[in-house]
Amino acid sequence: SQTIHQWPATLVQPVGSPLSLECTVEGTSNPNLYWYRQAAGRGLQLLFYSVGIGQISSEVPQNLSASRPQDRQFILSSKKLLLSDSGFYLCAWGLGTGIQDTQYFGPGTRLTVL
Amino acid sequence: GENVEQHPSTLSVQEGDSAVIKCTYSDSASNYFPWYKQELGKRPQLIIDIRSNVGEKKDQRIAVTLNKTAKHFSLHITETQPEDSAVYFCAARNKGWGKLQFGAGTQVVVTP
């Protein structure tokens, strides 16, 4: 069966510091991968999605970037964090086409920028 | 692109009563409609989904209905229990691609 991992689970960072969040998926090949952000008490905002290694699409212009160095690894980064980057970051995977088109979320990383 | 509106934003129900959440979508090409439940501090979990070739789907106390003509779909929870308290998100997916457009969410509170 498929499993999705995210780390770290929680993170407290000062403004202006760099960021690296990692997501990995097990038990499937060539998944579509997604990064979402959820501000406190708010909805799900799609940040990036990827249909394959090295293929990244950005949904919202911001100081964040994403990379997919391996088939089942998705990384979210920032060179300098802003206060507004605080939130709950969720990685999700899906197979995207045909019957198996459901998205499944990872456990999330709760980021606080001080 | 797709736009999904979800109502109500909050819903309070007495334990044992039914809860109904409604979503409308804009793109008639959308063909997949999942519902997620998010408990406080946890990840969204898929609870039920429906595809455009089906009008209704049930799973125990949960059901989803789809009206393609009117472009709306609804989540029905019967015999609500305190553990049904959570935020519920609807979503719609355009035909052929995996991106989901989410509604803004409904906070459901079930009072004993």
Side-chain angles (χ1 to χ4, degrees), chain A residues 59-100:
Chain A
E59 288 290 297
V60 182
Q62 59 220 318
N63 70 322
L64 299 171
S65 62
S67 62
R68 185 170 177 173
Q70 300 180 44
D71 180 43
R72 290 169 289 177
Q73 184 185 29
F74 206 20
I75 296 172
L76 183 69
S77 303
S78 174
K79 292 182 179 179
K80 288 186 178 182
L81 284 168
L82 306 173
L83 285 174
S84 57
D85 291 324
S86 293
F88 192 35
Y89 286 82
L90 291 154
C91 180
W93 76 273
L95 290 175
T97 59
I99 297 173
Q100 294 166 301

Side-chain angles (χ1 to χ4, degrees), chain A residues 36-60:
Chain A
Y36 290 86
R37 177 170 60 199
Q38 188 174 35
R42 304 295 296 274
L44 298 160
Q45 180 187 32
L46 179 63
L47 302 175
F48 300 95
Y49 64 94
S50 171
V51 300
I53 295 173
Q55 300 179 62
I56 308 293
S57 296
S58 173
E59 288 290 297
V60 182

Side-chain angles (χ1 to χ4, degrees), chain B residues 54-108:
Chain B
V54 176
E56 183 176 2
K57 184 176 178 181
K58 289 184 178 179
D59 183 2
Q60 299 183 338
R61 297 186 297 108
I62 292 173
V64 57
T65 58
L66 172 65
N67 183 326
K68 288 189 295 182
T69 303
K71 290 189 286 186
H72 67 72
F73 56 111
S74 300
L75 178 72
H76 305 254
I77 307 173
T78 59
E79 301 174 18
T80 53
Q81 301 169 5
E83 52 264 39
D84 295 327
S85 295
V87 178
Y88 292 79
F89 291 99
C90 65
R93 172 178 171 267
N94 277 329
K95 183 178 180 179
W97 191 173
K99 278 200 299 180
L100 292 175
Q101 183 66 45
F102 283 89
T106 297
Q107 174 76 61
V108 173

Side-chain angles (χ1 to χ4, degrees), chain A residues 10-13 19 81 85-89 109-113:
Chain A
T10 60
L11 191 58
V12 180
Q13 292 285 95
L19 174 73
L81 284 168
D85 291 324
S86 293
F88 192 35
Y89 286 82
T109 294
R110 195 163 302 280
L111 172 66
T112 303
V113 182

